[in-house]
Amino acid sequence: MVIGGGATGLGVALDAAARGYKTLLVEQSDFAKGTSSRSTKLVHGGVRYLAQGDLKLVREASLERGLLYRNAPHLVKNQTFIIPFYNYWAMVKYTMGLKVYDWISGNLTLGDSLFISRKKTLEMMAGIKVEGLLGGVLYHDGQFDDSRLAINLAQSILEHGGCAINYIKVIGLLKDDDEKINGAVVQDEETGIQYNIKSKAVVNATGVFVDDIIKMDELTSKKTICVSQGVHLVLDKKFFPSDHALMIPQTSDGRVLFAVPWHNKVVVGTTDTLIEKASLEPKALEREILFILETASLYLTEKPQRSNILSVFAGLRPLAVPKEGEKKTKEISRSHKIIISASNLFTILGGKWTTYRRMGADVMSRIEKEFNWVHTETPTASMHIYAYANGVNWSDPLYFYGSDSARIRQRMNGTENEWLSEPLKIYKLQVKWAVKYEMARTVEDVLSRRTRALLLDARESIRIATQVAQIMAKQLNKDEQWVKQQVEAYNRLANNYILN
Ligand SMILES: Cc1cc2nc3c(=O)[nH]c(=O)nc-3n(C[C@H](O)[C@H](O)[C@H](O)COP(=O)(O)OP(=O)(O)OC[C@H]3O[C@@H](n4cnc5c(N)ncnc54)[C@H](O)[C@@H]3O)c2cc1C
């Protein structure tokens, strides 16, 4: 039994189901409601970790990047990035460093890095600051749609005979006479009904909430994670009209800044702010917004203003509590860690979206070892993710449905091919599809994680919320009162993604 339906939990549950174990994953809210829908959308080895000398993590992440690119080609795009140089030392350092980055991924590389002249850099990156530009380096990484991958992973779990359910919260752990964990008490968040579920192994994959579950096991346990917030701003493509992504390796606070083309918009971020208390709906701080706007303005010819922001979203990094001497959150290793309690609660901490598969495989191998079960090799390295499709046309608005897009198109007859939002290229049929085949239960599920309307343009998403609720109500047999409640709740939430 896996607690948590983010990247980590989905990776563990898919590995377990694929190895042939009876598997259940429960998620208290929607799949990827937490950090896993709020990433920078990169499937990457991590140029920053290379600069920090963490070669082991870069190697692991680079291999995983290559595998995910092979196994989910409908969601992971080979994206070119350009680092523009305004000083000679950085130019030498990053051009050479990126050769190591190419080499480290072996035959799973996405393409070689290349030094490009000043002229070529300006040709390839319209909108970049001209003054003082010396040249650039182009390299390859992956770019993906995080919550869509989460939904496809949940569907893959079902395909492999497992079960993944949203809106089921773990509220307690069950123990046998020897004080060993043998299941959990869960609550259906829609009906309030509670169930006792027995399981031979229980995995805590709850991201920034792992300590809440650890406390259910052992009240006096020490804190295992600290929480670091990262914010992104979404802008119109006109601020950065390039097909290549921009990477600034060292901002004034020593972090990396990305401007990445995504669904015909640009995602710019991120920050690294230590936060006291984790929440499922973290809010961007004013200083984080200002920092991103100011830093982006240093490199873009058309300077974005607050009023140009289409959506602002914040996510929380679950980082292992730093060791002595590691003070800053950006210095804490992003590699994952497995902790096993005396009563056999398996907790997985840290990691990255990119390495979710490796994390899942490591947890399952560890469980087999601890319980002396026969070791089964994980089949996930070469396993296609649900909706696998090759040769995707990235400008097709339905591209992220992969092999399902043909089934969706077949149904697009009569009124079924009406736009729900023409600017965001969302059809009404996608709402029905999300309810019927993708376990969407609320307006937010549809607008935030089945489609990405909330993150792409929060105001436009509010405009279509009532229509979404009405379509869903028909599918789910809900009344007008439900529609009203859903729209009110959605508007309250979406207002946090808008800057006034
Ligand atoms: C700003 C930012 C940018 C990032 N960018 C990238 C990137 O570009 N590439 C990359 O590889 N990685 C990136 N990461 C890292 C990556 O997003 C995270 O490592 C990953 O999403 C964490 O997934 P998770 O499953 O551990 O946590 P989460 O996604 O938070 O999932 C945990 C889930 O557990 C559920 N849960 C909690 N308590 C309970 C309970 N009692 N019962 C049931 N369910 C429960 C929660 O509702 C939640 O959905 C980024 C992270 C941040 C914050």
Side-chain angles (χ1 to χ4, degrees):
M1 176 177 184
V2 181
I3 315 171
T8 310
L10 290 161
V12 177
L14 181 55
D15 194 282
R19 287 188 201 207
Y21 293 107
K22 240 190 204 176
T23 307
L24 169 69
L25 176 146
V26 289
E27 162 56 51
Q28 65 176 353
S29 173
D30 186 25
F31 304 112
K33 161 74 183 177
T35 305
S36 298
S37 57
R38 302 155 188 274
S39 76
T40 313
K41 331 289 178 208
L42 303 181
V43 178
H44 61 161
V47 174
R48 186 164 69 85
Y49 315 124
L50 187 70
Q52 287 172 347
D54 196 344
L55 290 185
K56 188 169 165 274
L57 177 62
V58 179
R59 165 92 182 144
E60 180 180 77
S62 299
L63 298 184
E64 289 304 319
R65 176 190 70 180
L67 294 179
L68 191 53
Y69 181 60
R70 280 186 189 172
N71 294 330
H74 61 298
L75 288 178
V76 183
K77 189 176 176 183
N78 185 338
Q79 175 71 56
T80 43
F81 287 72
I82 295 178
I83 306 180
F85 296 122
Y86 297 88
N87 98 46
Y88 282 106
W89 165 233
M91 187 156 85
V92 174
K93 180 174 145 189
Y94 283 98
T95 307
M96 286 172 63
L98 282 162
K99 288 292 163 205
V100 179
Y101 198 62
D102 296 344
W103 165 80
I104 217 163
S105 47
N107 62 0
L108 285 171
T109 176
L110 298 188
D112 287 341
S113 63
L114 186 73
F115 174 78
I116 48 174
S117 66
R118 178 179 194 275
K119 186 166 168 267
K120 192 99 188 136
T121 308
L122 287 172
E123 268 169 30
M124 294 176 93
M125 289 203 122
I128 193 78
K129 186 179 90 168
V130 184
E131 200 192 359
L133 182 72
L134 300 170
V137 63
L138 175 148
Y139 71 97
H140 296 253
D141 249 331
Q143 196 267 321
F144 79 132
D145 188 315
D146 47 13
S147 70
R148 290 296 317 176
L149 179 58
I151 304 305
N152 283 173
L153 288 174
Q155 290 166 311
S156 287
I157 293 167
L158 306 184
E159 262 188 340
H160 285 85
C163 181
I165 324 181
N166 48 4
Y167 295 100
I168 301 283
K169 180 174 183 166
V170 167
I171 53 169
L173 296 170
L174 297 171
K175 290 186 179 172
D176 64 16
D177 296 342
D178 298 326
E179 282 298 299
K180 300 289 181 199
I181 291 173
N182 64 356
V185 186
V186 303
Q187 177 166 293
D188 181 333
E189 292 292 272
E190 291 179 353
T191 61
I193 299 173
Q194 296 182 2
Y195 304 89
N196 284 1
I197 298 183
K198 287 288 173 98
S199 176
K200 286 186 180 159
V202 176
V203 179
N204 173 13
T206 52
V208 289
F209 304 100
V210 285
D211 286 329
D212 296 347
I213 304 289
I214 290 176
K215 283 228 173 326
M216 290 178 192
D217 176 27
E218 205 184 332
L219 207 58
T220 54
S221 60
K222 277 201 197 135
K223 201 169 137 181
T224 62
I225 59 146
C226 63
V227 180
S228 146
Q229 175 161 291
V231 165
H232 292 91
L233 309 181
V234 179
L235 299 170
D236 192 276
K237 197 105 208 268
K238 73 173 183 192
F239 290 97
F240 187 64
S242 171
D243 290 337
H244 310 282
L246 167 72
M247 198 266 204
I248 303 296
Q250 190 127 33
T251 60
S252 59
D253 78 339
R255 277 196 57 82
V256 170
L257 187 92
F258 287 103
V260 186
W262 189 58
H263 290 290
N264 217 23
K265 305 273 186 273
V266 190
V267 177
V268 190
T270 179
T271 53
D272 200 333
T273 313
L274 208 56
I275 294 283
E276 271 307 307
K277 182 128 182 61
S279 112
L280 266 180
E281 262 311 322
K283 288 193 186 61
L285 304 178
E286 191 55 35
R287 64 184 152 94
E288 295 181 291
I289 297 165
L290 282 178
F291 171 78
I292 299 174
L293 278 179
E294 278 166 13
T295 313
S297 295
L298 294 177
Y299 298 95
L300 303 180
T301 45
E302 183 156 356
K303 320 268 179 232
Q305 310 294 322
R306 274 178 76 90
S307 56
N308 301 123
I309 297 170
L310 297 171
S311 182
V312 48
F313 61 94
L316 302 179
R317 295 178 191 86
L319 302 178
V321 162
K323 296 185 208 120
E324 283 288 309
E326 281 181 336
K327 290 199 188 69
K328 296 186 188 142
T329 47
K330 58 178 178 279
E331 287 167 9
I332 302 172
S333 173
R334 267 40 173 178
S335 46
H336 60 275
K337 194 165 147 192
I338 300 168
I339 305 175
I340 308 167
S341 75
S343 48
N344 289 338
L345 176 68
F346 291 80
T347 296
I348 168 126
L349 304 174
K352 289 148 63 78
W353 235 123
T354 308
T355 54
Y356 84 94
R357 189 205 67 85
R358 179 78 261 157
M359 293 162 73
D362 285 355
V363 169
M364 285 314 298
S365 294
R366 193 67 191 275
I367 291 175
E368 287 175 335
K369 191 166 164 235
E370 291 296 319
F371 289 149
N372 288 321
W373 295 348
V374 179
H375 175 64
T376 30
E377 270 317 312
T378 177
T380 55
S382 57
M383 207 176 82
H384 291 173
I385 305 296
Y386 178 90
Y388 170 97
N390 246 323
V392 164
N393 169 9
W394 301 105
S395 49
D396 175 358
L398 300 179
Y399 84 82
F400 52 81
Y401 290 101
S403 59
D404 273 349
S405 66
R407 288 170 62 204
I408 296 178
R409 283 203 193 286
Q410 264 172 17
R411 284 162 205 237
M412 284 182 140
N413 48 26
T415 56
E416 303 250 276
N417 61 13
E418 273 178 26
W419 288 119
L420 176 65
S421 164
E422 195 166 356
L424 292 179
K425 302 270 176 285
I426 302 171
Y427 295 99
K428 286 186 181 167
L429 179 63
Q430 288 174 253
V431 181
K432 279 193 192 169
W433 187 270
V435 172
K436 197 158 179 199
Y437 298 108
E438 297 180 339
M439 296 176 263
R441 306 291 302 169
T442 69
V443 168
E444 184 200 331
D445 297 349
V446 171
L447 288 176
S448 179
R449 292 170 293 275
R450 304 307 183 281
T451 70
R452 307 312 304 271
L454 176 63
L455 272 62
L456 293 170
D457 188 339
R459 285 187 184 84
E460 173 67 3
S461 80
I462 290 177
R463 190 188 69 77
I464 57 180
T466 306
Q467 278 192 77
V468 172
Q470 284 163 347
I471 300 170
M472 292 184 80
K474 272 199 195 141
Q475 298 279 115
L476 294 166
N477 260 332
K478 303 283 186 186
D479 58 15
E480 269 306 306
Q481 185 58 21
W482 183 87
V483 170
K484 192 166 168 271
Q485 277 167 357
Q486 281 290 311
V487 174
E488 280 171 9
Y490 184 75
N491 289 352
R492 259 195 315 275
L493 171 120
N495 270 311
N496 291 325
Y497 291 67
I498 293 172
L499 294 181
N500 295 312

